[in-house]
Amino acid sequence: MVINLSDVLSEQHKPIDVTVSFELKEIRMKSGVFPIIEKDPVHVRVSHRKNKELEIQAETRVSVLIPCDRCLSEVKEEIPLCFMKQVDLGTSDAELPEGFDESNFIDGYYLDVDKMLYNEILVGWPTKVLCSEDCKGICSVCGQNLNEGTCDCEDTGLDPRMSVVRDLFKNFKEV
């Protein structure tokens, strides 16, 4: 969704207070594509501060399906977004003074709400996603989800790279 900023940037500096739809359907990153399964409308407030400086506030909530880091089952992660940005349209992003945010989501007199929210979702992206705290993961040999059942593989609890150490201990016990 795009919001026209001409009213707030005009001489009247009329603030904008609107609720708009969030149109993004998925989050694309190098690590994969993650579907957005729920999203609330976005409440956006834009006000003029001075010169070409704006204050932008936004609030919404999105839910994304992300694979569990241990077993790869889909996990619904809710990402609440509530933020305030101060942007100076008269300064390039490279020369921003302290306290101001990048404004790569504003093109001329238009604010791209989806791009602004995408940036904030990336900032709030969870570092570790688990389906449960006691997730058992997957078998490193056959790929069986150990939360759903066991497999017939040998000693799935030991990293296969450690088999040399295991064999040494077997021989040590026999002596």
Side-chain angles (χ1 to χ4, degrees), residues 167-175:
D167 293 342
L168 282 173
F169 280 113
K170 265 190 208 175
N171 293 336
F172 184 71
K173 290 178 186 176
E174 293 173 1
V175 175

Short mmCIF file of all heavy atoms in Angstrom, two decimals, residues 167-175:
data_model
loop_
_atom_site.label_atom_id
_atom_site.label_comp_id
_atom_site.label_asym_id
_atom_site.label_seq_id
_atom_site.Cartn_x
_atom_site.Cartn_y
_atom_site.Cartn_z
N ASP A 167 33.93 -45.88 18.96
CA ASP A 167 34.63 -47.14 18.73
C ASP A 167 35.84 -47.28 19.63
O ASP A 167 36.14 -48.37 20.12
CB ASP A 167 35.02 -47.28 17.27
CG ASP A 167 33.79 -47.41 16.35
OD1 ASP A 167 32.70 -47.73 16.88
OD2 ASP A 167 33.93 -47.16 15.14
N LEU A 168 36.57 -46.19 19.88
CA LEU A 168 37.72 -46.23 20.78
C LEU A 168 37.31 -46.61 22.19
O LEU A 168 37.97 -47.42 22.85
CB LEU A 168 38.42 -44.87 20.80
CG LEU A 168 39.32 -44.54 19.63
CD1 LEU A 168 39.80 -43.09 19.73
CD2 LEU A 168 40.52 -45.47 19.59
N PHE A 169 36.19 -46.05 22.66
CA PHE A 169 35.72 -46.37 24.00
C PHE A 169 35.25 -47.82 24.08
O PHE A 169 35.41 -48.48 25.11
CB PHE A 169 34.61 -45.41 24.44
CG PHE A 169 35.15 -44.10 24.92
CD1 PHE A 169 34.92 -42.93 24.21
CD2 PHE A 169 35.90 -44.03 26.09
CE1 PHE A 169 35.43 -41.72 24.66
CE2 PHE A 169 36.41 -42.82 26.54
CZ PHE A 169 36.18 -41.66 25.82
N LYS A 170 34.64 -48.35 23.01
CA LYS A 170 34.23 -49.76 22.99
C LYS A 170 35.46 -50.64 23.18
O LYS A 170 35.45 -51.57 23.97
CB LYS A 170 33.55 -50.10 21.66
CG LYS A 170 32.08 -50.01 21.69
CD LYS A 170 31.53 -50.59 20.40
CE LYS A 170 30.23 -49.95 20.07
NZ LYS A 170 29.72 -50.39 18.78
N ASN A 171 36.51 -50.37 22.40
CA ASN A 171 37.73 -51.16 22.49
C ASN A 171 38.38 -50.99 23.85
O ASN A 171 38.95 -51.94 24.40
CB ASN A 171 38.72 -50.76 21.40
CG ASN A 171 38.21 -51.11 20.01
OD1 ASN A 171 37.39 -52.00 19.88
ND2 ASN A 171 38.69 -50.42 19.00
N PHE A 172 38.32 -49.83 24.44
CA PHE A 172 38.93 -49.57 25.73
C PHE A 172 38.25 -50.39 26.82
O PHE A 172 38.89 -50.92 27.71
CB PHE A 172 38.85 -48.06 26.04
CG PHE A 172 39.54 -47.67 27.31
CD1 PHE A 172 40.92 -47.70 27.40
CD2 PHE A 172 38.80 -47.29 28.42
CE1 PHE A 172 41.54 -47.33 28.57
CE2 PHE A 172 39.42 -46.93 29.58
CZ PHE A 172 40.81 -46.95 29.68
N LYS A 173 36.93 -50.51 26.75
CA LYS A 173 36.18 -51.27 27.75
C LYS A 173 36.48 -52.76 27.67
O LYS A 173 36.45 -53.46 28.66
CB LYS A 173 34.68 -51.02 27.58
CG LYS A 173 34.25 -49.64 27.98
CD LYS A 173 32.77 -49.48 27.74
CE LYS A 173 32.36 -48.04 27.98
NZ LYS A 173 30.96 -47.82 27.67
N GLU A 174 36.76 -53.25 26.47
CA GLU A 174 37.02 -54.69 26.28
C GLU A 174 38.37 -55.12 26.86
O GLU A 174 38.56 -56.26 27.18
CB GLU A 174 36.96 -55.04 24.79
CG GLU A 174 35.56 -54.90 24.24
CD GLU A 174 35.53 -55.09 22.73
OE1 GLU A 174 36.57 -55.36 22.13
OE2 GLU A 174 34.44 -54.97 22.17
N VAL A 175 39.32 -54.21 26.96
CA VAL A 175 40.66 -54.58 27.41
C VAL A 175 40.72 -54.80 28.88
O VAL A 175 40.03 -54.59 29.73
CB VAL A 175 41.68 -53.46 27.02
CG1 VAL A 175 43.04 -53.75 27.59
CG2 VAL A 175 41.72 -53.30 25.55
#
